[in-house]
Amino acid sequence: MEPAVNAAPKTRDPSWPARVFGGFVPVFRKEFIEIRRDPRLVVFIVAFPVVLLILFGYALRIQLDNVTMAVFDEDGQLPALLVKDRFHQEGYLIPVEVESLEDIRSWIDQGRARAGLHIPKDFSAKLVENEKPSLTLYIDGSLPTLALAIDNESGTIQQTDFKRTLYFSDPDEDAKEFAEDPFRLEVETLYNPDLIDVWFFLPAIIGLLIMQVGLILTSTAVVREREAGTLEQLIVTPVTRLGFVMGKVIPYALISFVDFNLVVGAGHLVFGVPVAGSDALLLFSALLYIPAIVSLGLLISTFAETQQQAIFLSVFILLPSVLLSGFIFPVEAIPVAIRPLSYLLPLTYFLEIIRGIMIKGIGFAELMIPFSALVVFTAVFTAVCVARFQKKLH
Amino acid sequence: MPSANTTRSWSCCRDASLRFVKSAVSTRRLTRRFAGRLVVDSLDLEVPSGQIFGFLGPNAAGKTTTIRMLAGILLPSDGEGSVLGFDLYREAESIKRQIGYVAQHFGLYDNLTAAENLEFYSRVYGAADPQKRNSLMDRYGFSSYRDVLAKNLSGGFRQRLSLICALTHAPKLLFLDEPTAGVDPGVRKELWDFFYQLAETGTTLFVTTHYMEEAERCDHLAFIHHGRLIADDTPEGIKKALTGRDVFRIGCRYEPEVVTRARRLEGVEMVNQFGNTLRLVIARKRYDEMALKQALGLGERPEVSIERDQPSLEDVFVTLTSEST
């Protein structure tokens, strides 16, 4: 038993820095001790920015790489081959043969191709006769950055050296400098003909905002209970795990849904972004997207012990979502090594859905894959949550 | 107050119906390990219904772990037990419905008012009767505080609110884990008055505390140390543990050399200096007052008082914990 010591209290008048800044040093030091005692937060603070830096360093090298161009080649002669090859070699567009003009349209609708090329039947014949045949390049305007890049790259087939290749001179005349093009390239932008950026970005911002709200609210709400000690109190009550989780999560899902409607409405009112497709389908897509986000937020809460950790983890998912989901750069333009990460983000699929519905006006059938992806996300996140919650108790 | 049943015989408790009536808590060899470390070690507890049962022990003795097992939120590693007749392993959910649990830091929602907190917890227990809530609030002095946010309540009122939040479903057994830590003596007295009222209505109270005067007020005490039960009796019975020893009370300030000498005395079992009092427990008849004063090197100090005293609970607990370390 340690005896209690009666020390005489020191009653010296404190100096002015002590009166003003008293306690600063101990508090300052204590704060560092607390941070040190929170090794997870330290990992988040140190390691994650490095990871993100590396990730974005790659992602920001935007190139037209691996963008598919659906080609309907009715001609099939050497000049047509040369055109396709030129697009491929210099324009970085991968030509894929399709059977009809409708095919081009549907490939772009479904996002399987971002561009299309129609080479008419008599292209070679007219070329030989110097009759200036036309080529039509279709560009998916729902992604203006990509569309502009494609438009830019299409210039490659109009460069002098290529024109020379396709110029058939009249053997009876002297070779003249061709003042005119041997063929015409017509560019047709689908969906968003004026390439209005806000049309492109606004649906994506909606997706991102809903993600931010759902993710941070859900993850911190659960962790807050843990921090305040109310979670422990609730464990001794008849409140069940599921009752607790649903009770915590559904309010935020509802808030997210209201938010969704607000931002869609605001986008329409302020920016005039139309909903080309069905309003009901748009609401339906939110009903699939929000559970995926909220269950992801819940998953975060099973990893975070403090609200700080929860927010940090949320941002750690939000930032890559901005850069890798197709929010700014099309997924096709993201280097292959990083691209699998894009497909691990719910936002990637939701952007395809919301741009598809709002800009392209496409329907349920074309969006089956991203819709299914969202359902899979919700199922997987929920399953992992349940497993982790069970582990926590005993 | 019903008198304490000091025996911990198991033969009389085999019959389940009898056990249900007689014991609010009954455990046998209850054990909990964390990562191989024994935190609760083969605990045999018998808490008769309607009693105020004091559960004492130093910090980290395993008190809270025991309570968590009894409250059905932590599975025991070994042993068996029942609370209100429900098995700890199979009927934890039934236990939760029948008990109340007030921890030192009860989970009040800071941004909810007193009334909202009470409503929340009563709804959690499925008791939505607003009339009952109102009468609870009135009875416990919340008439004019019902709309105050929990974070703005004083420590005493927070503790009271915690208590009534745990009472809305009229639990038969109430676990109180240091319910009076950090509240002033006035509030402490009030809370204990509530506890007695509750016990009188037949509620069993399972209380942990570090205050010996609170322990004195319990019907029965169990004392654990390093997860083991080292005393289990009425307060009076526990003090009898020091039968055959002399207890001395010496009025002197703390002097390290005196304490060192005291520790070296022949037959000494406890040395406990607190403020201006040094208490010693020594085997009987080793020393009389004068001889002890000499042995402590205080013979030339007429101002130092020395007298025999009755053993206190604290004497017993300090002796027991120093023995078993």
Side-chain angles (χ1 to χ4, degrees):
Chain A
M1 190 72 197
E2 282 304 307
V5 186
N6 297 333
K10 285 177 186 157
T11 51
R12 231 181 51 202
D13 231 356
S15 58
W16 75 263
R19 282 200 305 271
V20 180
F21 300 111
F24 165 73
V25 175
V27 170
F28 182 78
R29 287 183 52 170
K30 180 220 64 149
E31 207 59 34
F32 277 103
I33 295 168
E34 278 189 334
I35 291 172
R36 213 172 58 222
R37 298 275 150 79
D38 191 349
R40 235 182 281 193
L41 189 63
V42 175
V43 171
F44 296 170
I45 291 171
V46 176
F48 288 9
V50 176
V51 173
L52 289 181
L53 187 82
I54 296 167
L55 211 55
F56 294 170
Y58 277 112
L60 287 171
R61 297 192 314 190
I62 183 166
Q63 310 172 323
L64 266 190
D65 214 357
N66 288 317
V67 173
T68 303
M69 176 171 70
V71 181
F72 176 42
D73 181 0
E74 288 187 281
D75 183 44
Q77 303 296 313
L78 181 67
L81 205 64
L82 288 174
V83 167
K84 286 185 281 186
D85 190 54
R86 182 74 176 190
F87 267 116
H88 191 189
Q89 294 303 321
E90 304 288 328
Y92 310 106
L93 293 164
I94 300 169
V96 175
E97 302 289 338
V98 297
E99 300 297 317
S100 65
L101 272 177
E102 288 70 40
D103 278 356
I104 292 182
R105 182 79 195 202
S106 76
W107 275 55
I108 296 177
D109 270 353
Q110 293 163 21
R112 290 166 77 187
R114 294 300 181 193
L117 181 67
H118 179 216
I119 305 176
K121 208 173 181 172
D122 47 2
F123 178 70
S124 297
K126 284 187 173 171
L127 205 63
V128 173
E129 299 299 326
N130 258 327
E131 284 178 22
K132 282 199 163 193
S134 292
L135 290 170
T136 314
L137 178 68
Y138 300 92
I139 299 177
D140 180 352
S142 65
L143 304 165
T145 31
L146 182 67
L148 290 171
I150 295 171
D151 198 17
N152 201 31
E153 296 292 354
S154 71
T156 187
I157 64 161
Q158 287 166 313
Q159 283 164 0
T160 318
D161 64 320
F162 187 66
K163 284 182 193 163
R164 201 187 299 271
T165 314
L166 287 188
Y167 183 71
F168 289 82
S169 54
D170 188 339
D172 298 333
E173 281 180 42
D174 288 339
K176 63 174 182 196
E177 277 304 303
F178 34 88
E180 291 173 300
D181 296 337
F183 60 89
R184 275 199 312 271
L185 179 69
E186 283 165 11
V187 177
E188 190 179 323
T189 305
L190 302 174
Y191 314 125
N192 180 6
D194 303 322
L195 296 182
I196 304 172
D197 263 7
V198 70
W199 286 22
F200 167 70
F201 278 117
L202 198 112
I205 290 170
I206 293 168
L208 191 70
L209 279 177
I210 296 311
M211 180 163 182
Q212 175 171 359
V213 169
L215 214 53
I216 291 183
L217 283 185
T218 314
S219 62
T220 55
V222 176
V223 174
R224 197 164 56 238
E225 296 258 357
R226 191 171 296 143
E227 278 189 308
T230 46
L231 186 61
E232 213 192 321
Q233 189 69 45
L234 287 178
I235 289 173
V236 298
T237 70
V239 169
T240 62
R241 217 171 294 143
L242 193 66
F244 172 74
V245 166
M246 299 309 273
K248 290 297 287 187
V249 152
I250 288 175
Y252 298 109
L254 289 176
I255 291 172
S256 304
F257 190 70
V258 171
D259 263 8
F260 177 81
N261 287 290
L262 282 177
V263 281
V264 170
H268 183 66
L269 286 176
V270 181
F271 299 104
V273 180
V275 178
S278 140
D279 287 338
L281 191 62
L282 193 63
L283 290 181
F284 175 74
S285 73
L287 291 179
L288 290 185
Y289 177 57
I290 289 168
I293 293 307
V294 161
S295 57
L296 180 58
L298 200 60
L299 185 61
I300 289 174
S301 75
T302 70
F303 285 96
E305 272 159 19
T306 63
Q307 292 186 66
Q308 270 177 314
Q309 289 182 357
I311 291 171
F312 209 97
L313 276 169
S314 300
V315 172
F316 184 67
I317 294 172
L318 275 166
L319 277 180
S321 292
V322 173
L323 290 167
L324 301 180
S325 65
F327 180 87
I328 299 170
F329 319 111
V331 176
E332 292 88 337
I334 291 164
V336 184
I338 307 276
R339 210 175 305 155
L341 289 177
S342 299
Y343 294 115
L344 290 175
L345 298 167
L347 187 61
T348 305
Y349 301 92
F350 186 65
L351 290 192
E352 208 179 322
I353 293 171
I354 194 168
R355 282 179 178 146
I357 297 171
M358 289 182 71
I359 306 176
K360 295 187 188 176
I362 54 181
F364 183 77
E366 289 92 338
L367 294 169
M368 271 306 284
I369 292 169
F371 275 140
S372 318
L374 291 182
V375 174
V376 170
F377 275 121
T378 308
V380 170
F381 293 153
T382 308
V384 179
C385 279
V386 169
R388 287 189 55 84
F389 269 120
Q390 251 147 12
K391 217 169 97 189
K392 270 227 134 81
L393 209 64
H394 295 299
Chain B
M1 281 304 107
S3 74
N5 174 14
T6 58
T7 57
R8 283 186 290 115
S9 155
W10 273 85
S11 53
C12 72
C13 301
R14 283 278 152 76
D15 179 22
S17 62
L18 191 62
R19 191 174 64 181
F20 182 75
V21 174
K22 280 214 143 184
S23 297
V25 174
S26 173
T27 72
R28 190 171 197 195
R29 304 192 58 74
L30 190 69
T31 300
R32 176 69 203 197
R33 290 179 207 91
F34 282 112
R37 201 167 51 87
L38 264 177
V39 176
V40 174
D41 188 1
S42 304
L43 214 55
D44 291 350
L45 281 180
E46 204 67 40
V47 180
S49 290
Q51 285 207 347
I52 299 184
F53 187 90
F55 193 52
L56 314 182
N59 291 326
K63 297 191 299 285
T64 300
T65 303
T66 305
I67 290 184
R68 285 185 180 181
M69 285 193 279
L70 297 179
I73 56 175
L74 188 69
L75 277 178
S77 307
D78 211 344
E80 52 196 71
S82 67
V83 168
L84 300 170
F86 298 110
D87 185 81
L88 287 187
Y89 293 91
R90 296 188 312 271
E91 296 165 308
E93 289 306 316
S94 307
I95 293 174
K96 286 182 191 175
R97 270 170 224 290
Q98 304 278 335
I99 60 158
Y101 181 113
V102 181
Q104 183 186 343
H105 300 289
F106 186 88
L108 292 176
Y109 289 88
D110 275 346
N111 290 320
L112 263 57
T113 64
E116 286 164 346
N117 268 290
L118 183 59
E119 179 173 356
F120 171 74
Y121 278 108
S122 65
R123 285 184 187 278
V124 156
Y125 284 102
D129 180 10
Q131 216 125 51
K132 201 176 160 212
R133 285 203 300 274
N134 286 335
S135 77
L136 267 173
M137 295 220 98
D138 291 341
R139 178 139 44 99
Y140 289 89
F142 271 94
S143 317
S144 49
Y145 293 96
R146 59 179 68 228
D147 295 326
V148 176
L149 290 183
K151 65 179 168 195
N152 295 331
L153 288 173
S154 69
F157 267 96
R158 278 184 75 91
Q159 213 56 16
R160 265 194 251 187
L161 181 59
S162 308
L163 187 64
I164 58 175
C165 281
L167 288 178
T168 50
H169 60 301
K172 295 197 188 81
L173 170 64
L174 191 59
F175 288 103
L176 299 160
D177 195 359
E178 297 188 33
T180 57
V183 301
D184 67 57
V187 176
R188 201 128 64 86
K189 190 194 168 303
E190 257 178 54
L191 286 170
W192 272 88
D193 289 343
F194 296 150
F195 298 163
Y196 279 121
Q197 288 171 22
L198 279 170
E200 239 139 68
T201 62
T203 308
T204 311
L205 280 81
F206 192 102
V207 188
T208 75
T209 180
H210 287 300
Y211 297 107
M212 287 304 143
E213 71 270 27
E214 292 185 359
E216 294 267 10
R217 300 187 197 181
C218 295
D219 298 315
H220 195 101
L221 296 175
F223 190 76
I224 67 166
H225 188 45
H226 295 314
R228 290 180 152 272
L229 192 64
I230 56 172
D232 180 15
D233 211 328
T234 59
E236 290 315 307
I238 278 181
K239 287 183 215 164
K240 291 201 183 98
L242 293 186
T243 311
R245 286 118 170 139
D246 287 329
V247 178
F248 289 99
R249 183 179 185 281
I250 301 150
C252 69
R253 294 194 130 203
Y254 171 65
E255 290 172 40
E257 53 280 12
V258 173
V259 171
T260 308
R261 280 189 209 110
R263 290 222 165 96
R264 292 190 186 135
L265 290 173
E266 214 179 308
V268 71
E269 289 185 22
M270 185 209 78
V271 179
N272 184 14
Q273 172 103 40
F274 192 77
N276 290 334
T277 305
L278 173 67
R279 292 182 73 90
L280 298 181
V281 174
I282 308 183
R284 172 147 286 181
K285 306 240 167 32
R286 282 295 160 87
Y287 298 93
D288 63 12
E289 284 90 337
M290 282 319 291
L292 183 60
K293 208 171 169 183
Q294 290 292 339
L296 292 175
L298 297 166
E300 310 302 311
R301 306 262 292 272
E303 80 281 5
V304 170
S305 67
I306 185 160
E307 60 196 33
R308 281 168 202 275
D309 199 357
Q310 290 300 311
S312 69
L313 275 179
E314 188 169 356
D315 294 335
V316 179
F317 291 144
V318 175
T319 307
L320 287 173
T321 47
S322 49
E323 265 173 4
S324 52
T325 32

